[in-house]
Amino acid sequence: MSETDTTPVYDVGAPEPKPIDEELSVKLGHLAEDAILRGKPNGDERCDNCLYYLDTDKDVTYCWHPKLRILVGGDWWCQWWEEIPED
């Protein structure tokens, strides 16, 4: 194959979601609805200032609330938002 040949070595076809992707999309969609999970803050309440936001130095991190337990964005919000107690 020459340097100017752009023919792929393998033809894997166009990417398509697998059945597991569709199942997870439905499952996570229900979870987001149940949690009233939103991709934007609710006033001053947002995931990155919530007790359950695992790593406040990151824009996306794990939420360890027992009813959620998924990756969330710092500007997101859900009904289980809880203030971080001051020591």
Side-chain angles (χ1 to χ4, degrees):
M1 199 158 60
S2 71
E3 288 183 35
T4 59
D5 189 358
T6 59
T7 305
V9 176
Y10 300 102
D11 184 10
V12 294
E16 291 186 28
K18 305 291 183 214
I20 186 68
D21 299 314
E22 293 176 13
E23 291 170 29
L24 286 172
S25 176
V26 169
K27 182 179 176 183
L28 292 172
H30 290 305
L31 179 63
E33 287 175 15
D34 292 344
I36 310 176
L37 181 61
R38 303 291 180 254
K40 52 188 165 193
N42 183 29
D44 291 335
E45 297 176 1
R46 58 186 191 280
C47 289
D48 67 1
N49 67 9
C50 175
L51 174 65
Y52 299 104
Y53 195 75
L54 190 62
D55 189 345
T56 56
D57 293 334
K58 295 186 177 179
D59 292 336
V60 174
T61 194
Y62 184 72
C63 170
W64 57 275
H65 188 280
K67 293 189 178 193
L68 213 51
R69 292 192 168 116
I70 61 171
L71 288 175
V72 296
D75 284 338
W76 295 12
W77 173 87
C78 86
Q79 68 179 0
W80 297 301
W81 180 91
E82 191 168 324
E83 187 174 0
I84 300 169
E86 293 182 28
D87 293 331

